[in-house]
Amino acid sequence: MIEGSRSMHFDITTAIGFLGGAFYLASHYQKDMVSLRVLALASNVLSLIFGLLHSHFDMLKMVELPENILNAILLPVNAKRLSEILRLTKQIEQATVESPISEWLLPHMHLKKHQAGDVLFRKGDKAHEIVYVAAGRLKLQEVNHFIEPGELIGEIGLFSGEKVRTMTVLCETDCELYKMTDEMIYHLYYQNPKLGFFFMRLIVERLLRDIRRHTSGSET
């Protein structure tokens, strides 16, 4: 009877260990970040369970094995990343061009204050970030147009083939600006490709507004 119990215990423990390893390997073949994190999280849990069963719940033996310590560290990390991705996914799915950016994109941006007269960037400069106006007003020098609080600017140059600024932008007043680099945008896009559709809608809307502005200007 004891032999049978030990054999069953060994079989279940080994199966859990192999399953944890299989989930770990599978996570490396995932292109979707949600699937990757779910599999990595499942691997951490199963590997820790395997460690507990294999050591017969002896915590001293548990901490002697580096893989157990590693999985104990990665478990909350993967859980946090999965939570962030799911939250971002929900926010992007609910986002439209009219949606307040401050509700979902702002937490991933960095605040920088500028004084009136500061040149944010010049026409022809390399584009490497987008800017959200939290307070103050920006001026598009070439067309004498103003960007008010709550608006995003810089996405056209960032996603253009040449990746250069199409206009000179300066601070008409003291400004509080939130910025996000192209590297961070690509990171968020990798986590959720739907972010690309938001920027596509944003760029199209910006271009349509420019067309309407030029059309109304030519009519007058």
Side-chain angles (χ1 to χ4, degrees):
M1 185 67 179
I2 296 177
E3 290 293 332
S5 298
R6 288 180 177 175
S7 178
M8 180 62 71
H9 177 266
F10 174 78
D11 289 342
I12 293 176
T13 302
T14 303
I16 291 174
F18 275 118
L19 189 59
F23 282 166
Y24 173 77
L25 290 174
S27 69
H28 287 272
Y29 291 92
Q30 302 302 308
K31 295 182 179 180
D32 176 30
M33 289 298 292
V34 173
S35 300
L36 186 154
R37 292 297 179 181
V38 168
L39 288 171
L41 192 60
S43 173
N44 297 147
V45 172
L46 289 172
S47 297
L48 287 173
I49 293 174
F50 169 77
L52 282 171
L53 295 175
H54 188 69
S55 63
H56 301 287
F57 298 93
D58 187 334
M59 298 307 297
L60 290 178
K61 290 183 179 180
M62 277 282 293
V63 297
E64 287 178 355
L65 296 176
E67 57 265 31
N68 291 331
I69 298 175
L70 178 62
N71 281 294
I73 295 173
L74 290 178
L75 179 62
V77 172
N78 283 317
K80 180 182 178 181
R81 291 289 181 260
L82 179 60
S83 176
E84 291 174 349
I85 294 169
L86 292 175
R87 184 174 68 252
L88 179 64
T89 299
K90 184 178 180 181
Q91 291 169 339
I92 292 175
E93 287 175 347
Q94 295 175 347
T96 64
V97 174
E98 293 78 19
S99 298
I101 296 172
S102 58
E103 291 183 1
W104 62 280
L105 195 57
L106 213 56
H108 305 282
M109 306 179 82
H110 301 286
L111 174 64
K112 188 172 182 180
K113 296 182 179 181
H114 289 266
Q115 295 181 344
D118 286 353
V119 177
L120 200 59
F121 46 77
R122 299 183 184 277
K123 183 177 180 179
D125 287 350
K126 285 292 183 180
H128 58 85
E129 62 186 7
I130 58 172
V131 179
Y132 173 78
V133 183
R137 186 166 68 165
L138 301 178
K139 181 180 180 181
L140 305 182
Q141 191 72 15
E142 286 78 7
V143 295
N144 198 33
H145 179 72
F146 296 96
I147 303 296
E148 304 291 345
E151 294 190 61
L152 194 69
I153 189 173
E155 75 285 350
I156 293 179
L158 192 66
F159 292 104
S160 66
E162 296 82 7
K163 291 196 67 173
V164 296
R165 298 302 185 188
T166 58
M167 291 186 184
T168 298
V169 178
L170 56 85
C171 297
E172 181 73 8
T173 66
D174 291 349
C175 296
E176 292 185 5
L177 308 176
Y178 282 86
K179 302 182 180 183
M180 177 182 288
T181 64
D182 51 357
E183 182 180 353
M184 185 60 183
I185 291 174
Y186 298 147
H187 176 69
L188 293 177
Y189 171 76
Y190 183 66
Q191 290 184 356
N192 192 324
K194 290 183 181 179
L195 181 65
F197 289 100
F198 173 82
F199 279 113
M200 182 175 65
R201 292 197 304 267
L202 186 67
I203 291 171
V204 170
E205 180 65 22
R206 178 69 54 81
L207 291 174
L208 288 175
R209 285 204 304 265
D210 290 343
I211 291 173
R212 287 194 294 266
R213 185 170 64 248
H214 288 306
T215 302
S216 62
S218 60
E219 288 177 352
T220 57

